[in-house]
Amino acid sequence: MQSAKKPVNILGIETSCDETAAAVVTDGRIVKSSIIASQTKLHEKYGGVVPEIASRAHIEKIYPVITEAIQQADVTKDDVDAIAVANQPGLTVALIVGVTAAKTLALILDKPLIAINHLHAHLQSAIVTDESLHLPAVALIVSGGHTCLYDYRSPLEPKLLGSTIDDAAGEAFDKVANILKLPYPGGPAIEKAAKKGNPNAIKFPRSMLGPDSLDFSFSGIKTAVLYYCRGQDMKGENKVDSMSKKQIADIAASFQAAIVDVLVKKTKRAAEKIGAKTILLGGGVAANSQLRTDLQKMCDSTEPAKKLLIAPKQYCTDNAVMVASLAYHKFKAEIFANLTLEPKATG
Ligand code: KG4
Ligand code: ZN
């Protein structure tokens, strides 16, 4: 049994998509190391993540990344109290690499294994360093594969309030960037282009799915951008090639404004529904400045104002700090997995 005062060091492993990551976090808050090997360069030319390429790259990187995380944390393997791994949701062929590495380490080091939901870990990334969380909170998790709203009252049981019924917000950013022939990943490229554009230039649709819905739908706006660029029948010339930089910037800014508008309004709706005192924001799209600013304005404008906690930029996109940090709560509650743990695509 762990003595109450002894610090708890957890090695976290993350391989759910296209980042191979490992981190050592002490007591859920003190980040001793965070190593991320990004595969962006490998997937760039395909305009999206290719699962087989991702899987192979994880296999190549997993051992050096874990080794570096342990070395940089300046701990011995004996100092590690548990091995945590994101086992769902994600690409199964990618998750399996992290899960296998974690199970192997747990077995040979004789340490407990902790299974982590990748989306719950994104949520945790907004509160890794925050000590004073006023509950209940609504968490908006916006990543490449998911867009979810949670009712958050404890780290172990976030309750799903709504999620996307088609494309995720990040996926929409990536696909629209592809249409606009902007580089991959699309989110940062659209954000950069949008800075020089007019967000009111084009009125793209904002799908609210009815007055009470907390679900999202982003495939309509993606199609609207496609039609705008290629014509309703898709038979017209690809106008993107002949558009000026300003026209591309206007499309990017108008698209970003529509996505952010929906995300902020739905978060407000969820907050009203559960009487949230705090809003948490995490996931890759949480790096978006417009979203951060508009969500802050929304939080300031309510009576009483809500506190907004946003994941630091380095923990918005996939990382293992969020995995190890959340695992600390499972460690304290003694919620351990066994060596039959499997990766799961859904979650
Ligand atoms: O959370 P994440 O690293 O991976 C998943 O779990 O999916 O999120 C990646 C997503 C990509 O779709 C990327 O385009 C988006 O986050 N993203 C952004 C920004 N930075 C990354 N979207 C909008 N604005 C950004 N600045
Ligand atoms: Zn993610």
Side-chain angles (χ1 to χ4, degrees):
M1 200 60 181
Q2 194 75 33
S3 100
K5 288 202 178 102
K6 188 180 174 296
V8 175
N9 297 310
I10 297 187
L11 170 68
I13 298 172
E14 157 64 47
T15 62
S16 68
C17 191
D18 60 344
E19 262 102 27
T20 317
V24 175
V25 177
T26 303
D27 292 342
R29 295 192 181 282
I30 305 156
V31 180
K32 290 278 180 68
S33 65
S34 174
I35 308 297
I36 303 172
S38 171
Q39 303 173 4
T40 303
K41 286 264 164 297
L42 298 177
H43 301 290
E44 208 169 21
K45 63 172 175 277
Y46 304 102
V49 177
V50 182
E52 289 77 10
I53 294 175
S55 183
R56 231 173 296 142
H58 283 309
I59 293 167
E60 274 171 29
K61 294 286 180 197
I62 191 78
Y63 182 73
V65 163
I66 291 174
T67 306
E68 205 179 329
I70 291 175
Q71 278 169 359
Q72 241 185 54
D74 205 16
V75 291
T76 67
K77 287 178 187 137
D78 283 342
D79 296 329
V80 173
D81 295 288
I83 317 290
V85 63
N87 76 311
Q88 68 178 106
L91 300 169
T92 319
V93 289
L95 288 164
I96 198 164
V97 179
V99 169
T100 307
K103 289 202 289 193
T104 309
L105 281 173
L107 179 68
I108 59 177
L109 300 177
D110 193 22
K111 304 286 179 184
L113 178 68
I114 299 175
I116 293 294
N117 178 302
H118 175 82
L119 295 175
H120 298 177
H122 267 305
L123 191 167
Q124 179 70 15
S125 65
I127 46 177
V128 168
T129 52
D130 196 270
E131 311 266 348
S132 58
L133 184 58
H134 296 288
L135 296 172
V138 156
L140 172 66
I141 304 306
V142 263
S143 72
H146 300 86
T147 303
C148 306
L149 281 166
Y150 288 96
D151 176 341
Y152 179 88
R153 290 160 204 259
S154 103
L156 300 179
E157 287 164 38
K159 189 173 145 244
L160 189 64
L161 293 169
S163 59
T164 182
I165 58 167
D166 42 52
D167 290 356
E171 194 179 352
F173 269 98
D174 293 337
K175 286 178 177 167
V176 165
N178 206 279
I179 297 168
L180 298 179
K181 303 197 174 178
L182 295 172
Y184 174 83
I190 296 230
E191 178 171 3
K192 192 169 165 219
K195 287 204 163 74
K196 296 196 173 124
N198 172 7
N200 301 312
I202 308 141
K203 192 87 186 139
F204 286 126
R206 280 124 167 100
S207 171
M208 295 303 285
L209 299 174
D212 301 320
S213 170
L214 295 176
D215 289 326
F216 299 91
S217 168
F218 293 117
S219 72
I221 184 171
K222 173 198 66 188
T223 310
V225 176
L226 190 64
Y227 286 171
Y228 185 85
C229 296
R230 301 205 178 159
Q232 284 286 348
D233 55 5
M234 294 290 290
K235 286 187 181 145
E237 59 165 324
N238 183 353
K239 286 189 265 170
V240 169
D241 289 329
S242 54
M243 278 180 194
S244 67
K245 278 201 167 143
K246 172 73 174 117
Q247 282 172 303
I248 300 277
D250 282 348
I251 299 172
S254 302
F255 162 78
Q256 179 177 268
I259 296 269
V260 168
D261 200 17
V262 172
L263 291 172
V264 172
K265 284 197 174 120
K266 292 260 169 163
T267 306
K268 188 175 183 200
R269 200 180 264 185
E272 279 162 4
K273 184 173 177 186
I274 71 151
K277 294 182 179 149
T278 307
I279 304 292
L280 306 174
L281 175 65
V285 184
N288 187 276
S289 310
Q290 194 65 52
L291 176 60
R292 295 162 91 96
T293 308
D294 287 7
L295 215 47
Q296 186 64 63
K297 279 188 200 150
M298 184 277 279
C299 288
D300 293 344
S301 71
T302 59
E303 188 54 55
K306 296 177 211 329
K307 180 149 168 117
L308 175 64
L309 296 174
I310 308 181
K313 282 209 174 170
Q314 73 270 30
Y315 303 146
C316 282
T317 43
D318 290 346
N319 65 88
V321 168
M322 63 188 193
V323 172
S325 175
L326 177 56
Y328 173 67
H329 298 280
K330 284 199 157 183
F331 183 89
K332 280 197 304 181
E334 299 188 16
I335 302 172
F336 300 123
N338 61 37
L339 295 178
T340 62
L341 183 71
E342 299 270 3
K344 220 174 120 194
T346 55

